[in-house]
Amino acid sequence: MESVKTIESIKRNIENHIGEKVTLKANGGRKKILINNGVIESAHPSIFVVRLDNDIPRKVTYSYSDVLTKTVQLYFAL
């Protein structure tokens, strides 16, 4: 994801990619990095929802501030 400066620009960027595939790289704590593939399902005023493509289908939510602080990094499919 390109470097964005504000939560509003992060939110707009994620809203523009709803329904698209994304690779999600999240800090799991204790030096653990979680990497998953999924689809951005929806965007709400303070969070966004990603449906993961795993053996067991599940959804995860993150806040836009997680992207701003780089706790979560999104890489959109080309």
Side-chain angles (χ1 to χ4, degrees):
M1 189 171 158
E2 75 243 15
S3 65
V4 286
K5 305 256 187 281
T6 64
I7 288 181
E8 276 303 312
S9 60
I10 292 169
K11 182 179 177 188
R12 271 194 310 272
N13 193 13
I14 290 174
E15 285 174 344
N16 290 336
H17 289 90
I18 290 177
E20 295 182 13
K21 291 191 179 234
V22 65
T23 299
L24 185 76
K25 187 175 179 183
N27 183 353
R30 295 218 172 234
K31 298 182 181 180
K32 222 178 2 177
I33 302 294
L34 306 171
I35 300 174
N36 290 304
N37 293 318
V39 175
I40 297 177
E41 195 165 86
S42 61
H44 300 280
S46 58
I47 61 168
F48 60 96
V49 180
V50 178
R51 187 184 56 227
L52 299 180
D53 297 336
N54 290 339
D55 295 336
I56 302 170
R58 67 184 185 123
K59 298 177 186 177
V60 293
T61 60
Y62 293 102
S63 69
Y64 301 112
S65 61
D66 290 335
V67 178
L68 182 66
T69 60
K70 297 186 180 174
T71 303
V72 173
Q73 296 175 341
L74 300 173
Y75 301 99
F76 300 109
L78 298 175

